[in-house]
Structures are given as structure tokens and as C-alpha cells.
Amino acid sequence: MPESFLSWAESAPEEMKLVPTFCELCFWNCGLIAKVQNGKVVKVDGNPLSERGRGRLCGRGNAALGSLYDQDRLKTPLINIGKRGEPKWKKATWDEALGVIAGKLSAIKEKHGPDAVALFSHGSGGAFWKHLLKAYGSSYYTAPSFAQCRGPRDVGFTMTFGSEVGSPEFYDFSQSKFIVLLGSHLGENAHNSQVQDLVHGLEQGAKLCVVDPRCSNIASKADYWLPIRPATDLALLLAWIRIIVNEELYDADYLSKYASGLAELKAAVQEFTPEWAAKETDIPAGKIVEVARELAARKPNVVISGGRFAAWYGDDAQRARAIALLNALLGSWGRPGGIYLPAGGGVPEYPGLPEYPEHTAGIPKLDGAYPFALSQTTTSIRNAAITGQPHAMKGWLVYGCNLMKTMPNREETIKAINNLDLLVAIDIVPADIIQWADVVLPECTYLERHDALSLGKFKKFEISIRQPAVQPMWESKPSWWITKELGKKMGLETYFPWKDGEEYLAKRCEAGGINYAELKQKGVLTIEEKSAPYITDQNQPTFDTPSGKIELYSKQLAEKGFDPVPKYKKHPQPPDGHFSLLFGRSPLHTFSRTTNNFLLTDLVPENSVWISRKKAKQLGFKDGEYVRLQNAAGVKSSGTVKIRCTERLREDCLYMVHGFGVHAKGMKRADNKGVGDEELLTGYQIDPIMGGTGMRLNFVKIVKEG
């Protein structure tokens, strides 16, 4: 811990000031209260008014000061006068750095059109960059969280119910009677209120089934842990569907009112018997039947959850659809203990803004091959930068995304970057992607800035404000300021009429009839008028599907040449001497975003690679030994990782936490600690329905160091 941190934290004669805001160490955005003395934040606590945290913060959220007072933070704008990947940094003024960016963006627009520039964004401040990009004339804004994370799940549920399952998800765990988690490491991903709800549901007697090759922390609490063979989850789901429809265990009244296609669904799943699924999954047929019947016996107060990370094998939208079908058959959508109906509500944008320029006529869509992509995919933008097809891609704005670690096949990312005329990185720490940037802009942390409002659609509608607890350190700036100043240099000042971040928020609240003074004082406001979480005679659901009903059989998929009911596809299994590579999260880290946080690195300084104790003994590996990993394509990890022998993993798998193996000298505590799984993800399979990148098709072996 830095000396300067201790010196002021130990002496605080000034009266403590409390500043409500919300966390940014993960997307959950829990409300927090910053305690400020002598101009320094000395502690953060959860805001009890926040539905996302309910007065609690996770380990990461409690480490906010480790992000704020990280001496490795980006401190000044930088211009690269060397090569990408081998940068030579020139410290620049804000005026100089923004001038370079504005000039290059203008040149790209003149030569290639505005759609040759794209935004990669993750985090609340990205809203201002999206606004800037749309004012510039481009519609290409994206986030790795779609194609590399939850996109397949969102598409699978939308194809079935006409809407997504939410972010945060609309799971009513606290009232559930049976919960199924498939590949979901709930608790290790520290989704605050969701974990609280799950624990409450278990306390009230809910049954829990966890389907996972690894006995995760949550699997250790389960009534049923099903250690499934990797890549066979869809076989299990289809067998469960067959049991429920054949034995008429579904919610017949619910389906007759709200669903279509039951007969077609039943006909399509007859080949997927429990005995067949047992051979595919390694789960005994009797256990498959037992869980299905017990699950159905507790309908409709059930949730079948596929978690968030859903980009596994390239047919992931169909696997997600099978999960949605199970929820539909059991009547869980809109029912207590199932998937609740989120509250309506919203806040208008800043009033009086001019219309955005129209999308360039005649320019082909980058994701035209994926008819059901709900968002722009990162990989299509990357491919356009590599090939120039279907049109040129010459500029990237990268906000809060460490693309070197979030996308598969690092070499493809580098190839794309080297074809760009401009890459701007906006970040707080000098992450891996910074080394490939032409211009680096230091954003201040979430405890130093105003930001876009966080709108939560829970059972009640929630509005959270972000406001600075302290002034920005060094020369870092908030995104509302950076984009406003850059907009001026680009001739777009009419799109940025606000004086400052506070006026931006106050005007939006005024336009929406929200008491800004009260929001500022409390940090969170809850609006109950549009709250109706469950189906009743007076509160009937709507389904935004072509039929206006839950679609058990999807005609829109069939019309595009896809299976209207999911079918099972065999995926390759590891060759001799190799393992399926699984990856997940640490409860004390948000991937590489926190691996340099001095309050967390002492607790979890590196990752390890899990291997079954029996397999480790057979191969001659010892617990704590440092090794390298090598994938089936011959790519070897650049660093070493510690062996962890365990009884909690199938013998054909390895498991590691994502986010380590950072290669960024400026991140002194994180640099070269552990191994990044993404180095080994050279192969991926694109989901033809929505463009997600299936990344669990890579097999690795362990190589002794030296």
C-alpha cells in the first residue's frame, strides 16, 4: 500500500463528508457512499437505498480506494511517436492530444466516410463516447459483452419471449423453489444483490442444481452437482425438455394462454432420450430424469439460468434458446420465484440536442451475415479492419476495453490494429491495449467524476447518480469533458451544450420530472408507479415476437434457414494429452480491470491452473509447481502459472481465472503475473445466428517449465 495513502488516512481531523455515488468495478453498479476527509476518500460503504447492493459491497467494491490511489494510473495524455506495440510516449497537453485525434478523425471521414470509425466501449462513461460517435456520423459502437459474453443468451431469450432476461437479470431467486445454474459461477462473479437473493432462496428451502464440469463455490452448496462433459450441455437440456413434454409436466394452462408451438416442439425432441443424453454428458440417465421431475414438481417458481458468459461453442444462441424453452414450459416467465417482469421507466436524454446525421446510404452492414444480432459485434469490426470488407474500417475509439484480453485470437486483433489510421485508448490504467494506441487519454476514476445516470429495471425502477467525491488527480479528466472538448475541435459543439457534468445530469432529470436535488442527496431514487413484476388478471404480459406469444417453435428461425427447435451438435473433445480449457472469475477481481489494485493484489496476486489430483499424479505434476500451457495449435503461454491439484474438477478439464497474464509494464503489480487464457484462445467458432464467438473449443496441455 503506498505510503502517501497511509499518511493521510491515519490523520483525519476534518469532519467527514458523505458523497453518494455508484461503483464501477463491475457492471452491477452498486450504490455506495464515499467518506471524505481532508480532501481524500478514506472509506466506501454500501448505500442501503440501492437495490443492486442493499447497503453491501463485494470485495472488489470495497477496494475502490485501490483504484483511486493507484500510483500506476495514467496521469497525462500521451502520443505515441514510436511503433504500435513498441510505443515511445510523448507527454502531451489535452489541447495537443485532442487536436491530433480531431485531425485524424476528420481525415478518415473525408477519405472513407464516418462509418470507417468504430467505438469499443465498456462502462458508464462510454455513453458520452457513443454520443460523440453518433454525432460524427457513425453507427458502429460495440461492446465485447455482446459477442464475447452474454449476446447468445440475450438472443436465445429474445427469440423465445421477445425480450432479454435483463442486465442485471430478472431472476426472482429469493422466492424460487428450484434453481438450476448451467456454467454459472454465481458468487465467484460477485453479482451482489443476485447472490443475496440466491442465499435467501436457499434459506427458504429452494433446491439447487448446478451443471458444471467444476465444483465451483456455488456447486458446493447444491443439492445436485452434475459434472457434465464439456460441450454437451445442449444434450442435457433437450433431454429435460423431452421428459417434461412427454410426461406432461409442463404448465398446461400457462402455455395455452401465452405460448405457441407445443406440438411441434414435442415432435422435434423425441430422439433426445435420457439414455442418449447420458452417453453424451456422462450424467446417469436416472439422475437426468430425477432432476427434471423434481424441477417440474416445483413449477412455476423455478429459474433455469445459463449465467452471463454464454459464448462457448458457436451454437450458443440455440443452447440459450433451449434454456428459455425450459423456463417457458414450466411457466416461470412473469411468475413469483421465476423471471419477474421488470418495471418500466426511463429518463429523457439531454433536451434540445440536434438530430444525429443519418447512416450513410448504401453502406453494407458489417453484421449482415448474422440475421439475429441484437448489437454490433466486435469481431465483424475487427474483420473489416483486416480485410476492408464489406467496407473500410480505419479508426477505433477504445473506451475501457482491454481488447488484447477480451477478444479471441490476439494475432487477428494486432493485424486489424496495424491496418488502422487511428487508435485512441481512453482508460484509467496502462492496460495491454494502451501499447497499441496512437493517442492515450487518461480518464479519471468513478470517484472523481460525474457520469451518465445508471437506470435499473428491477421490480421497481431505480435511478442512480454518479458524482465526484474528490477532484480528478493529476491531469485525468471525465469523459463528459473529454468528448465535449473533442466535439468542439471537430465542429460538433452543438451536440455538447452542457456547461459541465452536473448541468448535464440536472437537465436530464428536469426533463424527466425527477427531483435532482433529492437524487444528489440520496444517490438513489426508486420509482414505484410502473412496478408490476408478476402476471395477474390485471397485469397481462406482452411478448414482442412475430406471433405475439412465447414461441416454442420459431418460424422466424426457420425462415432464415435455422432450426426452429434446437438440435444437438457434437463438438470435438480433447485429443490425447490435452484438456478442455475452462475459464471463469475470481470473486476479488473484475478480470484485468482490478489485477493492479493494491488492495486486491495482496489477496489474489495471480491465477492458478486447476487440474484433477488424479490426473496431476499420472502426469507427474505437483501442487504449487509452475508450468506453461500449450494449445493444440502449438501456441505456448508467454508466462508461467501455478498448478492447483483438486478433487473439484473433471479429469478431462483444466480451469483458470481470466484476467491475469497482463503484459503491460506500466501496471507494476499485475505485469506478467500468472497466465492469460486468451493467449491460448487462437481458435473460435462464430455463431451463425447472432455472431457470437465460441471460445471453449480450444484444447491445451501442460508443459513443464524448463
Side-chain angles (χ1 to χ4, degrees), residues 574-581 609 621 627-641 654 656 675-677 679-682 698-705:
D576 289 344
H578 290 73
F579 302 84
S580 291
L581 178 61
V609 59
F621 293 113
V627 298
R628 293 186 190 270
L629 302 178
Q630 181 175 313
N631 72 11
V635 175
K636 188 183 292 187
S637 64
S638 56
T640 60
V641 65
L654 300 178
M656 61 197 303
V675 163
D677 54 89
E679 294 182 33
L680 305 163
L681 305 183
T682 54
N698 293 273
F699 306 122
V700 300
K701 63 181 179 180
I702 302 176
V703 180
K704 279 188 176 288
E705 175 68 1

Side-chain angles (χ1 to χ4, degrees), residues 13-65:
E14 189 180 276
E15 184 178 349
M16 187 175 290
K17 176 184 175 185
L18 305 182
V19 182
T21 185
F22 62 88
C23 185
E24 188 77 15
L25 286 182
C26 85
F27 73 93
W28 215 256
N29 293 165
C30 298
L32 62 82
I33 297 172
K35 297 184 173 180
V36 183
Q37 288 179 317
N38 298 332
K40 304 286 186 181
V41 181
V42 297
K43 193 178 187 300
V44 293
D45 289 328
N47 187 339
L49 299 177
S50 167
E51 175 59 22
R52 301 175 194 234
R54 303 168 191 163
R56 300 179 181 182
L57 296 173
C58 71
R60 300 174 231 163
N62 274 302
L65 277 64

Side-chain angles (χ1 to χ4, degrees), residues 235-250 262 265-266 268-278 283-297 299 326 329-330:
L236 174 64
L237 292 165
L238 291 169
W240 277 346
I241 291 172
R242 182 185 184 276
I243 293 164
I244 288 168
V245 295
N246 280 11
E247 298 184 11
E248 298 185 357
L249 301 176
Y250 48 81
L262 178 59
L265 172 65
K266 182 176 181 179
V269 298
Q270 288 309 302
E271 62 184 291
F272 305 122
T273 66
E275 293 73 23
W276 164 84
I283 300 170
K287 188 63 66 178
I288 293 173
V289 173
E290 179 185 348
V291 173
R293 289 174 178 168
E294 191 163 354
L295 173 64
K299 67 178 182 296
L326 274 169
L329 289 170
L330 299 175

Side-chain angles (χ1 to χ4, degrees), residues 309-364:
F309 173 62
W312 295 2
Y313 303 109
D315 58 353
D316 306 299
Q318 290 285 30
R319 185 185 70 254
R321 204 169 116 68
I323 294 170
L325 291 174
L326 274 169
N327 281 288
L329 289 170
L330 299 175
S332 73
W333 189 273
R335 312 292 277 282
I339 301 170
Y340 63 80
L341 306 176
V347 179
E349 292 301 325
Y350 192 93
L353 293 177
E355 293 290 325
Y356 294 121
E358 291 189 10
H359 184 68
T360 307
I363 295 292

